[in-house]
Amino acid sequence: MCKDMDVLKARMEVLKTLMHSKESSAKKAQDEYFLCELVAEMHHRGIEYAPIDLKTSHATDFTKVDKGLILPPLDCIDSISASMARGITAARDEAPFKNREDLMQRGKIGQAAIETLDKYGLIDDLPESAQINLFD
């Protein structure tokens, strides 16, 4: 979503091919294609996207941050489902996450989701665990 239009157009071409295949992923490709169309339309209207933020993004809804600026929800992240996103935001609303283990436990997500959030740079500020390393 936050990439330039050339990347978006290239992805849409891939999705067109997948949509017309007989594979089980055709429906998912169609859904993603329609989302890409929406993103392209918003871009043409001058609407930009803020980076997804673990501390402020809603679980499933886009949020207007400012005029022409929208914050995507957590469930826009690959492999983060709506139920996982709701678990994360419910735990976040109770108290800030202290570390990645805390996020996993209270947010009720697995290691794969932690790795995805890490890949997106959303948990760079969270230490791995509450254990103190005496040698650092």
Side-chain angles (χ1 to χ4, degrees):
M1 246 186 299
C2 299
K3 300 194 172 152
D4 67 19
M5 287 303 294
D6 293 333
V7 174
L8 183 67
K9 287 178 185 177
R11 180 65 184 159
M12 289 175 78
E13 290 302 316
V14 170
L15 292 169
K16 272 186 195 176
T17 304
L18 291 173
M19 283 172 29
H20 299 296
S21 71
K22 303 224 186 289
E23 296 178 32
S24 61
S25 61
K27 173 67 173 126
K28 184 176 179 183
Q30 183 180 21
D31 292 345
E32 186 179 344
Y33 183 83
F34 292 138
L35 180 62
C36 288
E37 284 185 323
L38 179 63
V39 169
E41 177 66 24
M42 293 174 80
H43 178 76
H44 290 303
R45 292 176 183 253
I47 299 171
E48 300 293 325
Y49 296 93
I52 296 174
D53 185 354
L54 189 68
K55 295 175 183 160
T56 57
S57 287
H58 189 270
T60 58
D61 296 335
F62 287 80
T63 307
K64 180 181 176 184
V65 176
D66 202 0
K67 184 176 180 172
L69 186 64
I70 294 177
L71 180 64
L74 293 174
D75 72 345
C76 282
I77 301 169
D78 295 335
S79 76
I80 301 294
S81 68
S83 64
M84 292 167 77
R86 283 190 287 274
I88 292 168
T89 56
R92 171 192 76 196
D93 291 345
E94 291 172 8
F97 297 113
K98 296 177 181 140
N99 52 56
R100 295 173 190 210
E101 285 177 353
D102 183 38
L103 172 57
M104 281 178 62
Q105 291 172 347
R106 291 193 305 118
K108 298 180 177 83
I109 60 173
Q111 185 62 39
I114 291 291
E115 289 170 6
T116 299
L117 294 172
D118 190 34
K119 180 179 91 175
Y120 279 79
L122 298 178
I123 55 175
D124 290 343
D125 61 331
L126 290 178
E128 290 290 329
S129 69
Q131 294 181 354
I132 298 171
N133 187 346
L134 297 174
F135 302 107
D136 281 347

